[in-house]
Amino acid sequence: MEKKSRRILVVGALLLAIWALSVNADDSEKTIVKTVKGKKMCTRGWECKDWSIYCCNQTISDFFQTYQFENLFSKRNSPVAHAVGFWDYQSFIMASALFQPLGFGTTGGKLMQMKEIAAFFGHVGSKTTCGYGVATGGPLAWGLCYNKEMSPSQSYCDDFYKYTYPCSPGAEYYGRGALPIYWNYNYGAIGEGIKADLLNHPEYIEQNATLAFQAAIWRWMTPIKKSQPSAHDAFVGNWKPTKNDTLAKRVPGFGATMNILYGDLVCGQGDIDAMNNIISHYQYYLDLMGVGREEAGPHDVLTCAEQIPFNPSNSNPTASS
């Protein structure tokens, strides 16, 4: 009897130890805090590993989880989708880990963080959708249907950039990715930004979902020109418009992100379908994430219908055109 009791105690102790290990399996996710020049700085394991003020906030996986990703992109693995099995939640989180210490999805409180993820995906969903008016589940449920342009009309090699971003023999610079990249100069610049040789190997973007998400987040986080805001800064309120911006009706918010990323392809033309489609995806994702489209803001913040473009297409190409 005594031997049996001892065995029960040993088994109980082992189960307790296993439970404790499972509960504390990822000690790396604990927030570590230090103060640098009077500022609170944190790290939060692999997902937000660089010392940063932003890593003191929740990480993306704290408030945006697998089931939410599945809700937002519920039709991406349907048999008729063109990138079945390519896009997944893990690839997005792995890609975001490089940018969370810089504020991507980690700026502000939980509401702003959720809104930024919805805004980023609003662009991604609208640019990779194969939804249409009577599509099953509705036209907005088909984001991340594509990972590349299906019938390129050209190779997108611009010889004007032959000294900075020369086209690699045999390479095709057609649209690829979550925020589709076109042209050699964009593959070159984004490749430098994420430390991948996309100029010589643009195909990497359609072969690796983590890399494709990294490229899209880099574009979201990086100004087209140094004197301009990034889409991230314009959205979260880091950008303070100049007098010229105010005269051009450019204000912080979702509308400005469209202006930065697409210029006059979408903005300054009134309430056109191209603009409204992006806005509809953003509002749809806000609803699905439980934030609610009412948080998208008033019309002048949400749209860019009246905004003068930061970079008119006749003067300088934008990064995704």
Side-chain angles (χ1 to χ4, degrees):
M1 189 72 183
E2 191 180 330
K3 198 177 282 184
K4 188 177 178 184
S5 298
R6 195 178 297 125
R7 195 180 299 126
I8 290 168
L9 282 170
V10 168
V11 170
L14 278 169
L15 288 170
L16 192 64
I18 291 166
W19 175 82
L21 279 170
S22 68
V23 168
N24 298 304
D26 194 1
D27 280 341
S28 66
E29 283 302 305
K30 288 180 178 174
T31 304
I32 303 170
V33 185
K34 70 178 179 180
T35 303
V36 179
K37 295 180 181 176
K39 279 189 177 178
K40 182 182 171 186
M41 309 279 276
C42 304
T43 63
R44 291 201 63 186
W46 69 269
E47 194 180 346
C48 206
K49 66 184 175 62
D50 298 333
W51 288 102
S52 164
I53 57 170
Y54 301 110
C55 294
C56 299
N57 298 329
Q58 287 186 309
T59 54
I60 293 174
S61 66
D62 288 331
F63 62 84
F64 182 72
Q65 295 162 7
T66 309
Y67 77 92
Q68 289 162 301
F69 183 89
E70 296 298 329
N71 285 345
L72 266 55
F73 305 108
S74 59
K75 300 295 182 184
R76 76 186 191 285
N77 288 326
S78 297
V80 294
H82 298 278
V84 174
F86 184 77
W87 302 107
D88 64 340
Y89 172 80
Q90 288 75 17
S91 297
F92 170 65
I93 294 297
M94 290 291 288
S96 74
L98 293 178
F99 301 93
Q100 291 191 53
L102 303 175
F104 176 69
T106 50
T107 298
K110 185 180 177 182
L111 177 60
M112 176 56 78
Q113 291 175 261
M114 292 177 78
K115 284 173 64 175
E116 183 177 12
I117 298 306
F120 171 76
F121 278 137
H123 287 278
V124 168
S126 69
K127 294 299 175 184
T128 57
T129 184
C130 56
Y132 53 95
V134 292
T136 308
L140 301 175
W142 290 82
L144 294 181
C145 173
Y146 293 101
N147 67 350
K148 63 181 178 181
E149 186 180 6
M150 299 306 292
S151 302
S153 59
Q154 55 179 302
S155 63
Y156 298 99
C157 173
D158 187 342
D159 264 348
F160 181 80
Y161 294 89
K162 62 186 176 185
Y163 297 113
T164 48
Y165 299 120
C167 299
S168 183
E172 299 281 334
Y173 300 101
Y174 57 77
R176 298 177 179 88
L179 288 179
I181 309 166
Y182 298 83
W183 298 102
N184 50 308
Y185 48 85
N186 288 319
Y187 277 94
I190 292 171
E192 287 173 355
I194 64 173
K195 297 179 172 57
D197 186 10
L198 301 183
L199 189 62
N200 290 309
H201 297 283
E203 71 277 4
Y204 286 170
I205 293 293
E206 65 184 89
Q207 295 169 350
N208 185 312
T210 301
L211 206 62
F213 274 130
Q214 278 180 19
I217 300 170
W218 184 89
R219 179 69 285 155
W220 177 261
M221 297 293 292
T222 308
I224 304 293
K225 294 180 178 176
K226 286 184 179 178
S227 60
Q228 297 173 1
S230 64
H232 163 78
D233 284 335
F235 186 79
V236 302
N238 291 342
W239 168 54
K240 301 296 182 253
T242 64
K243 186 179 178 182
N244 283 343
D245 290 319
T246 304
L247 290 170
K249 298 185 179 179
R250 297 190 288 254
V251 296
F254 188 75
T257 69
M258 292 187 284
N259 192 332
I260 290 161
L261 294 174
Y262 318 119
D264 52 14
L265 295 176
V266 168
C267 300
Q269 301 183 55
D271 288 314
I272 61 170
D273 288 346
M275 182 192 74
N276 287 331
N277 182 47
I278 302 168
I279 293 170
S280 294
H281 279 82
Y282 172 43
Q283 293 174 320
Y284 174 70
Y285 296 151
L286 284 174
D287 286 343
L288 286 182
M289 289 173 68
V291 176
R293 65 182 57 211
E294 63 275 7
E295 290 290 343
H299 186 266
D300 64 326
V301 168
L302 182 58
T303 83
C304 60
E306 306 302 324
Q307 293 185 18
I308 295 172
F310 281 100
N311 299 301
S313 56
N314 60 3
S315 66
N316 208 21
T318 63
S320 47
S321 63

